[in-house]
Amino acid sequence: MDVLNLKFTTDLPPEAGHIIISEPTLPDEHFHRSVVYLCAHNTDGSLGYVLNRKLQDPLSYFIEGIDDSTIPLYVGGPVHLDSIHF
């Protein structure tokens, strides 16, 4: 079996509240080996957050006045990398 040509299918449509796990062979660098929580999905587009890409620097590195250096941040996706959602 050639695992590089494996494709997975499902009858479940994407919808808000679903967790999407990328195919292991997905070549897209933004979503390779990603776990995404889908917050919205409609004809205007989709909104989701990548759950498994932790940044090296904590929240206090990016926002002045945050003294707690233990609050982790995660890369949320390839679009709008200049915002923080919580």
Side-chain angles (χ1 to χ4, degrees), residues 36-73:
V36 177
Y37 177 73
L38 195 57
C39 299
H41 179 75
N42 56 43
T43 56
D44 294 328
S46 299
L47 171 67
Y49 297 104
V50 178
L51 301 177
N52 64 328
R53 296 233 174 115
K54 187 175 176 181
L55 290 175
Q56 181 178 353
D57 297 309
L59 181 62
S60 59
Y61 177 82
F62 297 96
I63 300 179
E64 290 183 30
I66 303 278
D67 295 327
D68 187 347
S69 64
T70 63
I71 300 172
L73 283 181

Side-chain angles (χ1 to χ4, degrees), residues 1-2 9 18-19 22 33 38 54 57 61 66:
M1 173 179 1
D2 183 0
T9 60
H18 283 187
I19 291 179
S22 70
R33 297 229 179 253
L38 195 57
K54 187 175 176 181
D57 297 309
Y61 177 82
I66 303 278

